[in-house]
Amino acid sequence: KKVDDRKEWLTSFMEDRRQRKLLGLPDEYLYGKATSYLTYNDFINKELVLFSNSDNERSIPSLIDGLKPGQRKVLYTCFKRNDKREVKVAQLAGSVAEMSSYHHGENSLMMTIINLAQNFVGSNNLNLLQPIGQFGTRLHGGKDAASPRYIFTMLSPLARLAFPEVDNNVLKFLYDDNQRVEPEWYIPIIPMVLINGAEGIGTGWSCKVPNYDIREVVNNIRRMLDGDEPLTMIPSYKNFKGTIDELGQNHFLINGEISVLNSTTIEISELPVRTWTQTYKEQVLEPMLTGTEKTPSLIIDYKEYHTDTTVKFMITMSEEKLVEAEAIGLHKVFKLQNSLSCSNMVLFDHAGCLKKYETAEEILDEFYQVRLRYYGLRKEWLTGMLGAESAKLNNQARFILEKIEGKIVIENKPKKELIQVLIERGYDSDPVKAWKESQQKDIDENSEEDTDKENESTAASGPDFNYLLNMPLWYLTKEKKDEMCKQRDNKETELENLKQKDPTELWREDMAAFIEELDV
């Protein structure tokens, strides 16, 4: 078996790609205009390696946002649609395929949407989509979800708080056939890969990360912001009533709940995480009731009183058998213990290379470094944007005041002369537009601008004063003048407040708003 060789082969490819990115070199492809023949060596090392790497990218999530590409495309589409009311899962899948260039079958997309919305024990600790309808229960582990054409979903209120919209301005968006699609990765305020866990099998690597408690992760980030070391975290599943005990480094024991009611009756009120109620009944209790050739029956009868969220088996057995079972250990006899290993936490890091992490704290630390850097980038972007908006409002307010006072006359003057007057009086060409161009970012398609040909020619040929000259006459009224001056002062105050804040303060504010919504 060439397991290690395969890992080495893929690792050297990822390292090579990372170096190319750093040096700004183009990717190496197999087919060029001059290609007239192929060697097996080239095919394996330039073509097959791309497929194997894509397989890993689709199966193993990113450390930064905890998402696989399919999930990221769903989230991107939901953010872009910004639905205020629920939408059919089947309909949303079609929308995702169209908006984010999804090239695979829509069935798998519908299953991805359903998985993102599930919130039963053992699924998500923080479901990013709302499950409106039957999205599956712990009875069958989510396989009992209704058909996608009958169930609805929409963004969870927490999703936008975990993935702030303002961060979109510092992310690197991908392009597919000249269509802008989802970013390389999103940058949530908490490491979602620890919150919702991850599982996947790729080529050469597989990955399994358990879920951790949201508040515990947030508290650890706050500790790190204060300069303290994070506390050790133990896997935790939302609404799980059993216990998770640490056996050793990265090894845990998940226990269900069982209690003796009287000398012949016991009650099972919780199963280990990801042991589904129906499966447990068929594989554990039924053989105990009927017995097999090798083992006699252990129990006399059992009754079920479950709901779709809770477990309740009432089991009747003889006194002798119950005493025997207690001597061995009820958890062991009724298979209510599962081991959980965290020794295979393999994820893509921020540079797109696979990396194995030994502990949850190591994942948290790497996430912390990247996220803190991006808070710095966010602050830079916001400072520039607010500065440009402040300058624009300042110019507009001054223009209105000077027009009212009669210092500027615009009636019956040639356009060139008017522009010359504005330049001489020290007005800036559209500051927001100039700043966006300096950022090499496209001006938002949705911005409401009167772009007739005359305006475009002005913009192309010199300073752009449309933001002043296109203002309606209404702006010369006293109310509008006062409102404009007030807006200018507010924007300047906002900019001053932002400049005084540290990137860590921005992070704390985001987490406070998130936890407040979580507690609702």
Side-chain angles (χ1 to χ4, degrees):
K1 288 188 178 181
K2 292 195 169 266
V3 178
D4 292 334
D5 292 359
R6 195 187 292 130
K7 284 187 177 178
E8 210 173 293
W9 172 62
L10 276 161
T11 306
S12 62
F13 164 77
M14 288 186 284
E15 282 300 327
D16 179 57
R17 196 176 57 168
R18 175 188 254 174
Q19 289 302 322
R20 283 177 173 279
K21 269 188 193 172
L22 288 173
L23 299 170
L25 298 170
D27 282 336
E28 206 176 0
Y29 290 110
L30 178 56
Y31 301 105
K33 287 180 182 175
T35 309
S36 57
Y37 69 94
L38 289 180
T39 63
Y40 287 120
N41 190 35
D42 275 355
F43 177 76
I44 296 292
N45 291 319
K46 291 183 183 173
E47 185 78 4
L48 182 67
V49 75
L50 292 174
F51 165 74
S52 296
N53 193 63
S54 296
D55 177 32
N56 282 334
E57 283 174 355
R58 289 200 295 266
S59 312
I60 296 172
S62 161
L63 171 136
I64 309 296
D65 60 8
L67 300 172
K68 298 173 187 176
Q71 296 169 323
R72 206 172 288 122
K73 283 178 187 291
V74 170
L75 205 58
Y76 168 74
T77 307
C78 289
F79 286 151
K80 201 168 177 184
R81 282 172 63 112
N82 197 21
D83 291 311
K84 294 288 179 279
R85 47 195 293 268
E86 65 254 29
V87 57
K88 259 186 197 160
V89 168
Q91 213 175 324
L92 180 59
S95 198
V96 173
E98 180 193 351
M99 284 186 181
S100 66
S101 274
Y102 186 78
H103 303 298
H104 313 284
E106 284 189 15
N107 268 346
S108 57
L109 204 49
M110 292 179 210
M111 289 317 297
T112 300
I113 294 168
I114 289 171
N115 288 340
L116 280 171
Q118 287 173 336
N119 60 358
F120 54 87
V121 176
S123 59
N124 298 305
N125 279 358
L126 174 63
N127 47 308
L128 296 171
L129 302 179
Q130 294 180 40
I132 306 166
Q134 174 55 288
F135 276 73
T137 64
R138 64 180 303 180
L139 295 171
H140 294 268
K143 288 182 182 160
D144 46 343
S147 170
R149 58 182 180 275
Y150 302 127
I151 52 180
F152 295 80
T153 190
M154 64 189 290
L155 270 178
S156 146
L158 287 164
R160 203 66 272 197
L161 291 171
F163 294 82
E165 193 172 2
V166 67
D167 284 326
N168 287 359
N169 302 299
V170 293
L171 295 175
K172 180 189 170 191
F173 281 83
L174 304 173
Y175 284 82
D176 189 303
D177 278 343
N178 290 330
Q179 177 188 353
R180 189 171 106 143
V181 290
E182 80 282 357
E184 190 177 11
W185 31 255
Y186 279 104
I187 184 103
I189 63 169
I190 49 176
M192 292 300 295
V193 73
L194 292 179
I195 306 298
N196 288 336
E199 223 168 301
I201 299 171
T203 302
W205 281 276
S206 65
C207 140
K208 186 173 166 72
V209 180
N211 300 18
Y212 289 86
D213 183 59
I214 300 176
R215 287 176 180 80
E216 216 175 311
V217 173
V218 168
N219 289 340
N220 263 345
I221 292 174
R222 284 179 173 154
R223 282 180 65 86
M224 291 166 87
L225 289 171
D226 292 335
D228 299 327
E229 284 295 310
L231 300 171
T232 308
M233 296 185 287
I234 283 183
S236 166
Y237 292 82
K238 189 179 171 185
N239 298 329
F240 175 61
K241 296 193 197 82
T243 59
I244 300 179
D245 304 321
E246 191 170 4
L247 296 178
Q249 176 77 27
N250 280 346
H251 286 285
F252 302 91
L253 188 67
I254 304 176
N255 301 297
E257 281 200 335
I258 185 166
S259 52
V260 179
L261 301 183
N262 57 44
S263 59
T264 58
T265 315
I266 56 174
E267 177 191 2
I268 294 175
S269 54
E270 184 62 283
L271 298 174
V273 171
R274 296 204 175 124
T275 300
W276 313 122
T277 314
Q278 190 65 24
T279 315
Y280 180 78
K281 174 187 150 184
E282 288 167 6
Q283 294 180 1
V284 179
L285 294 184
E286 278 298 324
M288 282 185 173
L289 180 65
T290 54
T292 59
E293 289 175 10
K294 292 180 182 175
T295 53
S297 65
L298 180 68
I299 61 177
I300 298 166
D301 189 21
Y302 68 85
K303 288 190 169 59
E304 301 173 67
Y305 301 96
H306 325 293
T307 65
D308 55 358
T309 54
T310 59
V311 177
K312 190 174 181 182
F313 286 105
M314 301 297 280
I315 297 168
T316 313
M317 54 199 297
S318 65
E319 283 190 36
E320 302 82 52
K321 291 272 171 71
L322 181 52
V323 171
E324 279 174 34
E326 279 188 286
I328 300 167
L330 289 175
H331 280 84
K332 199 172 180 182
V333 171
F334 285 93
K335 297 183 179 166
L336 291 174
Q337 288 182 326
N338 279 355
S339 61
L340 172 68
S341 171
C342 302
S343 56
N344 193 28
M345 299 199 283
V346 176
L347 298 165
F348 278 99
D349 63 9
H350 66 282
C353 287
L354 278 173
K355 188 173 167 188
K356 186 173 178 183
Y357 297 89
E358 294 305 321
T359 62
E361 293 73 44
E362 194 183 334
I363 293 175
L364 183 64
D365 185 58
E366 186 158 327
F367 170 83
Y368 175 83
Q369 305 301 337
V370 176
R371 179 67 258 210
L372 195 57
R373 191 170 86 243
Y374 270 78
Y375 266 109
L377 293 174
R378 184 211 280 191
K379 186 187 171 183
E380 269 176 48
W381 188 90
L382 278 173
T383 307
M385 189 64 193
L386 287 174
E389 284 174 356
S390 173
K392 182 178 178 176
L393 285 167
N394 197 14
N395 280 330
Q396 285 177 323
R398 182 157 70 95
F399 180 77
I400 289 168
L401 291 170
E402 290 191 352
K403 177 75 191 83
I404 291 169
E405 290 162 10
K407 291 180 183 173
I408 287 182
V409 180
I410 58 173
E411 294 84 354
N412 201 22
K413 275 193 174 183
K415 198 168 187 174
K416 277 187 175 177
E417 197 179 313
L418 198 55
I419 286 171
Q420 199 54 44
V421 168
L422 291 173
I423 292 171
E424 283 167 9
R425 292 199 72 85
Y427 285 94
D428 302 317
S429 173
D430 189 340
V432 172
K433 190 175 174 183
W435 182 79
K436 281 186 174 175
E437 280 172 5
S438 75
Q439 291 284 303
Q440 294 176 333
K441 290 222 182 280
D442 306 326
I443 295 174
D444 191 11
E445 299 148 15
N446 306 326
S447 62
E448 296 163 19
E449 284 180 356
D450 282 338
T451 50
D452 57 18
K453 284 180 184 174
E454 234 183 354
N455 293 355
E456 281 176 22
S457 65
T458 316
S461 60
D464 183 0
F465 291 113
N466 293 331
Y467 76 104
L468 297 175
L469 302 175
N470 280 350
M471 284 195 290
L473 281 170
W474 277 116
Y475 277 57
L476 297 172
T477 59
K478 185 176 188 308
E479 294 89 342
K480 268 292 180 188
K481 179 203 76 172
D482 293 344
E483 188 188 324
M484 185 64 78
C485 292
K486 190 180 174 187
Q487 275 183 352
R488 176 197 63 190
D489 297 340
N490 288 348
K491 195 62 79 175
E492 283 173 0
T493 312
E494 195 183 339
L495 180 60
E496 281 312 307
N497 289 345
L498 178 71
K499 282 180 177 172
Q500 285 163 14
K501 278 182 188 170
D502 191 61
T504 57
E505 276 181 72
L506 297 176
W507 198 349
R508 285 177 200 277
E509 283 171 14
D510 281 352
M511 285 196 297
F514 175 78
I515 289 293
E516 194 179 323
E517 181 67 34
L518 188 67
D519 291 337
V520 170

